[in-house]
Amino acid sequence: MSSTDPDHHFVAQDDYDENADIQMLDRADLDAPTWLLIWRRFLRHKLGVASGIYLLVIYLALPFIDFLTPYHYTTRDIEHIYAPPQPVRFVHENYVGLHTYPTEEFFDLETFQVKSKVDWTTPVPIPILSNCGKSYHLLGLFETNFRLICPPEGYTLYLLGTDRLGRDVHSRIMHGAQLSLTVGLIGVTVSFAIGLFLGGAAGYFGGWIDSMVMRAIEIIRSMPELPIWLALSAAIPANWGPVAVFFVISIILGLLDWPGLARAVRSKFLSLREEDYVKAAELMGARPRRIITAHMMPNFMSHLVASATLSIPAMILGETALSFLGLGLRPPAVSWGLMLNDALDLTVVEIYPWLLMPLVPVIMVVLAFSFLGDGLRDALDPYS
Amino acid sequence: MTVSPLLTVKDLSVAFGPERAPIPVVENVSFSVRRGETLALVGESGSGKTLTGKSLLGILPKGARITSGSAVLDDNLGRVDLLSIPLKELRKIRGGRVSMIFQEPMSSLSSLHTIGNQVMEAVLLHNECSGGDAKNRCLETFQNVGFPDPERAFRAYPFELSGGLRQRAMIAMAMVCKPRLMIADEPTTALDVTTQATVLELIKQLQRDNGMSVIMVTHDLGVVANMADNVVVLRKGKVVESGPARPVLMTPGHGYTRKLINAAPEIPENLDARSEPSEDFILHATNLSKTYPGKPVGLGKMSDPVKAVQDVRIELRRGETLAVVGESGSGKSTVAKLMLQAERPDPGASVMFTGQDGKEIDVAALSGSELIKFRRKVQIVFQDPFASLSPRMNVCDILTEPLRVHNIGTGREQRDRAADLMERVGLSADHLQRFPHAFSGGQRQRISIARALALGPELIVCDEPTSALDVSVQAQVLELFKELRDDFNLSYLFISHDLAVVADLADRVAVMWRGRVVEEGPVKALFNNPVHPYTKALMAASPEPDMEKPLDLAAVALGAGEPQSWVEPFGYQGDDAPGLIEVEAGHFVRRAA
């Protein structure tokens, strides 16, 4: 206990050792590789972790979409056009178990509107893990029609209703995820590659290379995005298959997105070049390639992963916007934007609001990527 | 004047981290400050001295909280516990009855507002007075803190002022409301040593005029010896020793205080000659100049080119240490870069390096593979140990990287070499798989030194290698430098801003001022018989932890100003500097013949 009397000469009696071990670690809590420290710090960002798990689950589910959905995305049911979401319940009087009720669509001749009637008296159990519907290739290997949930024999199961052609909106949203979610990944890979190369060259070599790249970035940034997308997509030949169109669309998105990443790379490069450890490598005689690959890359890759994560949502929104305008993917492919294309007509939206359901996954995924990116970015400097 | 304490701090504890598992950073600290006196909170990094100061004004960083204690301020306006009053009340006290100065004068002032604007705000917040009255009060304060032209300072923006004047503006802001207590958090650490001396004197004088008390948070026992009436020595958040300054500094009771005092570098009284002058130069540079082109200032005009280094001569003998000493802007780091060929000198310069093989290399003309070969012989140790090691490489990779770059040895041999190097700089080879961020500043600097040694260089350029370290660590690292020099017959070009640091290590010292060497000579001649007023000012301004040796401000004033203020025959006008003249064997001074 020190004293509050200013005239008292106080000396603490403790076991101070003048020749304390200089081997002792100063920050034993940081005694781990940086990636591990970043990971630990990331785990503290609850929202980021939850978003990461959510995205991981849906991406892992993508190859098994056929198994997870009750219908094939092309299956049409002309008896149930514009059917509203069907009720699903667990308890009906004495019956306990997942069940639905038979519904019937009819055309209201007074309002010219498709209406639906639910028969609340007879519960129909929903079969789980059984065979139904069109057969598909699981992982491209086995042909099967085994599904997680099936519509009851002789009845329907439209959890989120049906569209103009009587196709199950729920199944189509899940199928649409396959394209809508991979567009982002492919697009980001393309823009990452271009951005890394051009941004890195600009940042490391400077001079005229730097000015060229920067001018190119400014030109691309000054172009109005939407018309350029439209022009590029319009240039895709009409006779190309859906898969080819899909790839070209994602590459177009990537081609227009790289300036952001290139700028991030360049500025990171410029700041890293001033770091003492990079100068030390230069002064020990290392050549530019070694400096870039061994000393600079490991130190900015994590930053880039965070920036890339934050730019995936823009890609997904881009695909949605393009397809919504009818210039992106083409039927029979199915994506969230294409599905929203059905909702172009205001009256349709007013009467059959479930056609807007694809908006929900778009918002969820975009938010999840933003949170994940934020969490990563916050974890990048784990040394404090 | 009464001697009852103005501020009594009792049992102050501060902790970080969650409620259930707090990490204490300040533990049961008690002290008191009397009216008109100065209390110094001394400690090295991590001692909790700054947190103690900040907790008094409720400006702890996020995550830190006060877990116990009281801090009773008892002035003519009444008694109040700073730690328990509501924020609204505390706000009235901040800047009014208690004010604070921070370390970094640039970031503590808003660059978008004039100095006058910022200082006046403090007046208007705490007093009910008209704008005119407030302005007069500001001008008066500016006069008191020594602004040569208060009206001009009132209109100036922070970036228009030098570091010293900015710190004066900060002090003016802290003083303008005539506080009873001023908390100064390392107020002079970011300043040059001659500026530091004048700012310290200013604080003292203001204290005499206004009778205010000062809490001085500092790591520098030299500052303490010159300023403090009472001292509290902190270590790892605990008080290890406290009391009146004289007994604490003159007859320290605690081992840690003793160690701090012994480790503080001092300007030596009487030095012996270190080495016999030989003609075996490892580095011989003449006519060394470096001019950076001016920057465009708009409308196609260019600002004047910056002459960072002008006509410098470097003579470094094999196995010796040449110290280049200067304040910020003296061009000392540029000299280091020129020697390393990290920058090219202006045409006309000659930089000759003679290796152990006796071959003379013209460094300025090197390129390609010749340059890479030269890099093996000359290495560098940087100032900031936290920035000079890549956070993604473990220690083993860091130490073997130079060998990999030059393709020396097999993987196994490289690892053995790394282990040897670790042992050589005093660290255990068990640490090889660890990453730099687990180590303290001193340990990291040792790793940097080991990396510089990896290629078996002949010359090491040390760019302020100890100025980011705590004093006690600095002493150990300097000792290591000495050992390594003798073991490996190394030569050092040692850059420093502190004459006291190099006194023990250097064979020759060159003092630089604005790109020119003003005095150069063997360490004995320079320290025992400094001739140039600037060298004398540097020595006089260096504070020492000895109550008997206060700062000699008269000597500082004679040499710290512009060249025209230097006495004959040293002074000169503009850029028209006289030449270097040999006043005794090997001792050169820039003065008129």
Side-chain angles (χ1 to χ4, degrees), chain A residues 194-254:
Chain A
I194 304 177
L196 196 61
F197 180 73
L198 290 179
Y204 191 84
F205 296 105
W208 65 271
I209 301 182
D210 186 24
S211 0
M212 292 268 291
V213 172
M214 289 316 283
R215 293 303 85 78
I217 288 176
E218 277 149 22
I219 291 169
I220 291 184
R221 286 233 151 166
S222 65
M223 295 178 182
E225 255 185 1
L226 215 49
I228 297 286
W229 278 347
L230 295 181
L232 287 174
S233 329
I236 304 172
N239 55 353
W240 282 15
V243 178
V245 173
F246 162 71
F247 275 109
V248 175
I249 292 284
S250 24
I251 289 169
I252 288 174
L253 289 171

Side-chain angles (χ1 to χ4, degrees), chain B residues 31 33 37-43 49-50 53 56 99-101 171 181-189 196-197 199-204 207 213-220 222-234:
Chain B
F31 56 84
V33 192
E37 292 196 346
T38 300
L39 173 102
L41 289 175
V42 197
K49 56 185 190 303
T50 298
L56 297 179
S99 64
M100 186 147 188
I101 331 178
I171 293 173
L181 173 67
M182 182 161 84
I183 302 172
D185 185 2
E186 303 259 12
T188 56
T189 307
Q196 159 169 301
V199 169
L200 288 179
E201 180 54 28
L202 170 67
I203 295 177
K204 247 184 181 168
Q207 198 177 3
S213 310
V214 174
I215 293 181
M216 189 88 151
V217 177
T218 182
H219 70 281
D220 189 341
V223 171
V224 176
N226 278 285
M227 300 291 290
D229 300 294
N230 283 285
V231 183
V232 175
V233 184
L234 290 165

Side-chain angles (χ1 to χ4, degrees), chain B residues 321-532:
Chain B
T321 301
L322 171 67
V324 179
V325 180
E327 298 185 324
S328 51
S330 64
K332 56 187 191 301
S333 293
T334 310
V335 168
K337 286 182 194 152
L338 293 175
M339 293 302 115
L340 287 160
Q341 190 62 1
E343 302 249 8
R344 303 226 164 216
D346 292 348
S350 127
V351 183
M352 302 309 271
F353 175 87
T354 315
Q356 231 134 30
D357 49 14
K359 247 201 303 193
E360 202 174 37
I361 309 172
D362 182 3
V363 178
L366 287 178
S367 63
S369 62
E370 290 293 311
L371 183 61
I372 288 173
K373 252 195 233 158
F374 168 72
R375 297 262 183 251
R376 281 187 65 170
K377 298 181 183 153
V378 182
Q379 284 294 306
I380 182 165
V381 175
F382 289 98
Q383 171 176 3
D384 182 358
F386 290 85
S388 57
L389 304 174
S390 168
R392 292 308 176 96
M393 289 183 166
N394 65 25
V395 176
C396 187
D397 285 339
I398 287 171
L399 295 183
T400 53
E401 177 67 11
L403 303 172
R404 278 198 302 273
V405 163
H406 290 276
N407 270 322
I408 300 171
T410 62
R412 210 195 148 67
E413 284 164 11
Q414 290 175 351
R415 274 191 299 281
D416 290 346
R417 173 97 176 115
D420 283 351
L421 287 167
M422 281 295 268
E423 304 276 355
R424 193 59 207 82
V425 296
L427 293 173
S428 157
D430 299 341
H431 289 322
L432 278 177
Q433 295 309 315
R434 298 206 145 92
F435 285 78
H437 33 257
F439 297 98
S440 67
Q443 288 167 329
R444 289 183 192 211
Q445 203 59 306
R446 282 169 193 271
I447 297 170
S448 290
I449 295 169
R451 174 177 64 186
L453 290 175
L455 290 168
E458 295 173 33
L459 168 65
I460 297 186
V461 175
C462 310
D463 189 2
E464 304 231 28
T466 60
S467 53
L469 303 178
D470 284 331
V471 230
S472 59
V473 181
Q474 163 168 295
Q476 295 169 353
V477 171
L478 286 173
E479 197 51 42
L480 176 67
F481 271 116
K482 245 195 270 181
E483 272 175 46
L484 295 173
R485 178 184 59 188
D486 299 342
D487 288 1
F488 297 112
N489 194 27
L490 290 170
S491 311
Y492 294 141
L493 181 66
F494 198 98
I495 312 291
S496 175
H497 68 277
D498 190 349
L499 265 177
V501 166
V502 303
D504 218 19
L505 185 71
D507 297 285
R508 283 183 75 79
V509 180
V511 179
M512 286 189 73
W513 189 85
R514 304 260 172 95
R516 287 197 171 93
V517 173
V518 293
E519 183 161 3
E520 192 212 335
V523 69
K524 175 181 180 212
L526 196 108
F527 278 96
N528 296 352
N529 178 27
V531 175
H532 199 278

Side-chain angles (χ1 to χ4, degrees), chain A residues 320-336:
Chain A
T320 310
L322 271 184
S323 305
F324 173 73
L325 293 172
L327 284 149
L329 304 174
R330 294 164 193 170
V334 51
S335 80
W336 295 338

